[in-house]
Amino acid sequence: MAINTYPLKKYNYRVQIDNIDVAGFSEVSGFDASVDVIEYREGTEAINSPRKMPGLTKYGNVTLRWGMTESVSFYEWVAGISNGERAAASERVQDIVIYLQDDRHDDTANWTLVNAWPCKYTAPDFNSSSSEVAFESVELAFEEMRRTQ
């Protein structure tokens, strides 16, 4: 199979939460991972600079943004965590997969957010003289990110 040498475009994607396709997100942003650097040096070492070793891996939060509809599922997920209805880890966390697609809408790459849960919900801004779409967003914290394909 020939490998496509053209860069992939970022406007075709789909989001799957708990093995269910969720449509309608206009933006998915915030993917990042960083590894802390641990510096260590013993006083008897011949060189005057420390060794550098990898430390903890940390992930930034991912934000999902969408045009507001009558659905309140994300708000209820956040509210259930904050009011204690979803206190157990098994009730509050989900694996979320974001698939990047090619122009034929075939999946070409994916990122899995392991044990994700909403840590912030943002309601739309309101303006009586605007004719823009009302957007909601949810920020997701997660414990691990896996990239496949």
Side-chain angles (χ1 to χ4, degrees):
M1 184 170 132
I3 295 176
N4 183 1
T5 58
Y6 288 100
L8 296 167
K9 300 165 188 135
K10 65 182 187 176
Y11 54 77
N12 287 331
Y13 59 90
R14 66 186 178 96
V15 178
Q16 191 177 68
I17 299 176
D18 200 26
N19 294 320
I20 300 169
D21 278 345
V22 180
F25 294 107
S26 63
E27 185 177 337
V28 178
S29 62
F31 290 99
D32 66 40
S34 63
V35 179
D36 287 344
V37 176
I38 300 171
E39 294 188 357
Y40 175 76
R41 184 182 178 280
E42 294 177 359
T44 58
E45 292 193 29
I47 59 171
N48 290 329
S49 62
R51 294 180 223 176
K52 294 188 178 187
M53 302 176 291
L56 294 174
T57 302
K58 297 178 182 176
Y59 301 99
N61 295 339
V62 167
T63 301
L64 304 177
R65 187 170 184 252
W66 66 95
M68 185 175 170
T69 65
E70 293 181 4
S71 173
V72 293
S73 58
F74 278 105
Y75 177 79
E76 289 174 344
W77 191 12
V78 174
I81 291 170
S82 67
N83 67 21
E85 289 176 14
R86 292 183 173 212
S90 62
E91 295 174 328
R92 68 178 169 91
V93 299
Q94 308 277 339
D95 284 352
I96 297 175
V97 185
I98 294 99
Y99 295 90
L100 182 62
Q101 299 178 321
D102 61 18
D103 289 336
R104 294 183 313 249
H105 292 276
D106 295 327
D107 296 339
T108 58
N110 70 63
W111 292 261
T112 301
L113 311 179
V114 178
N115 292 334
W117 56 277
C119 60
K120 182 179 180 181
Y121 167 82
T122 304
D125 295 338
F126 302 106
N127 182 338
S128 64
S129 63
S130 173
S131 59
E132 298 174 359
V133 171
F135 283 96
E136 291 178 285
S137 68
V138 68
E139 192 172 313
L140 303 168
F142 55 96
E143 297 174 2
E144 182 182 350
M145 178 171 49
R146 299 183 192 137
R147 162 77 159 68
T148 55
Q149 288 183 313

